[in-house]
Amino acid sequence: MELRGTLDRHALLEGMNLQMLGLGVGTALVAIVIAAIGTAIILRNARGSESHGKILKWARIAWVGFVFYLVAYIGYFVHKSSPEKVSYPFVPGDQMVAKGDYNGAIKFYAGIAKEYPDMALAHFKLGMALRMVKAIPQSVKELKLAIRDDPDQPEPYFALGSILWTQGTSQDAMPYFRKGLELDPQNRQKAFFMQIIHRGELEQKGQLKPGSETRPKLSPAAPASHVGTP
């Protein structure tokens, strides 16, 4: 799973935050209309009076300030929705994995995921490290977060499907393997994934008993490894 050199910050414009953005924009438009109508009424009522010039002056000042506010308001959302450049932050954790220090890697990757909660690769690496110490529920959670934050990367689908295959049935793994192959149709393990997908289809049709005594097992946890809350 490659790091593209950017941290996706578009979450502000997605899901529930999209409703918040719509509410904010709608409020701004209503404010503009009300302010325009109010200004027109005040100026019309003051027309011909001694205070007309003073009211017109302050109306102009107020509108200039209002325009600056709207520009800052829009700029805030543009900034929050723009990708942020970040350097590759995973080297120490990758070195720990290479040395077999999975618990150390878990703590390191968890720190990166906390600092950058929308970075898919951070959740993917944390999920894979958790899998190495057989912390399966936490691993599944992190892999799902990786998919949420970058649904176009195939590796989390394959990793999550593999866990669900070894822990459950072919039907559990099937949708993830299908999606992974949709994104990476030339994957070198395609034949294996297709076999699991076929078994899942047979299970759905009732032609094969869910689960299998011959299904592969997860690799054993590293010696003396245990995992707490990362």
Side-chain angles (χ1 to χ4, degrees), residues 7 13 21 62 64 67 72 108 122-123 159 170 174 182 186 193 200 203 216 230:
L7 168 62
L13 303 180
L21 177 60
V64 169
V67 168
F108 180 82
H123 292 295
S170 301
M174 182 170 60
E182 178 184 322
Q186 303 303 321
F193 297 142
E203 288 178 1

Side-chain angles (χ1 to χ4, degrees), residues 20 39-40 50 54 80 94 131 133 169 182 205 212:
M20 295 174 61
T39 301
E50 295 181 358
K54 184 181 294 186
K80 285 296 185 179
D94 294 348
R131 177 182 177 180
V133 298
T169 68
E182 178 184 322
K205 296 176 181 178
S212 171

Side-chain angles (χ1 to χ4, degrees), residues 171 198-208:
Q171 291 184 71
H198 179 63
R199 288 177 61 90
E201 292 172 344
L202 293 178
E203 288 178 1
Q204 287 183 334
K205 296 176 181 178
Q207 298 176 4
L208 185 67

Side-chain angles (χ1 to χ4, degrees), residues 75 135 185 213:
E213 295 181 356

Side-chain angles (χ1 to χ4, degrees), residues 6-226:
T6 60
L7 168 62
D8 189 359
R9 296 295 296 275
H10 287 80
L12 188 67
L13 303 180
E14 297 174 356
M16 293 181 63
N17 287 319
L18 185 60
Q19 297 178 0
M20 295 174 61
L21 177 60
L23 179 62
V25 172
T27 301
L29 293 175
V30 171
I32 292 173
V33 172
I34 292 176
I37 294 174
T39 301
I41 292 174
I42 291 172
L43 290 176
R44 186 182 64 181
N45 292 338
R47 186 177 301 167
S49 67
E50 295 181 358
S51 60
H52 181 266
K54 184 181 294 186
I55 293 175
L56 182 60
K57 174 185 175 181
W58 282 107
R60 288 172 177 170
I61 292 174
W63 272 101
V64 169
F66 189 46
V67 168
F68 274 111
Y69 169 78
L70 288 178
V71 170
Y73 181 85
I74 295 173
Y76 170 79
F77 282 102
V78 170
H79 170 72
K80 285 296 185 179
S81 64
S82 300
E84 176 186 341
K85 296 289 184 179
V86 294
S87 58
Y88 186 84
F90 301 108
V91 172
D94 294 348
Q95 292 174 341
M96 293 176 193
V97 170
K99 295 177 181 178
D101 182 9
Y102 301 115
N103 287 324
I106 288 169
K107 292 180 180 178
F108 180 82
Y109 292 144
I112 299 297
K114 183 177 180 180
E115 183 177 1
Y116 300 108
D118 298 325
M119 182 182 282
L121 188 54
H123 292 295
F124 175 73
K125 285 182 172 289
L126 177 56
M128 296 303 288
L130 287 164
R131 177 182 177 180
M132 294 303 296
V133 298
K134 297 182 74 76
I136 302 305
Q138 299 98 313
S139 177
V140 168
K141 177 183 176 181
E142 293 299 324
L143 292 172
K144 287 183 176 180
L145 288 174
I147 291 173
R148 178 203 67 183
D149 293 331
D150 191 353
D152 295 326
Q153 292 294 329
E155 290 86 352
Y157 292 100
F158 292 136
L160 184 54
S162 297
I163 291 177
L164 296 177
W165 156 244
T166 57
Q167 296 293 304
T169 68
S170 301
Q171 291 184 71
D172 299 326
M174 182 170 60
Y176 295 99
F177 287 156
R178 277 178 173 168
K179 184 62 178 180
L181 289 176
E182 178 184 322
L183 296 169
D184 181 16
Q186 303 303 321
N187 188 279
R188 60 184 180 180
Q189 292 185 287
K190 180 177 180 178
F192 170 75
F193 297 142
M194 290 298 297
Q195 179 183 3
I196 304 306
I197 292 172
H198 179 63
R199 288 177 61 90
E201 292 172 344
L202 293 178
E203 288 178 1
Q204 287 183 334
K205 296 176 181 178
Q207 298 176 4
L208 185 67
K209 183 179 179 180
S212 171
E213 295 181 356
T214 60
R215 65 187 177 193
K217 303 296 182 182
L218 286 175
S219 57
S225 291
H226 64 279

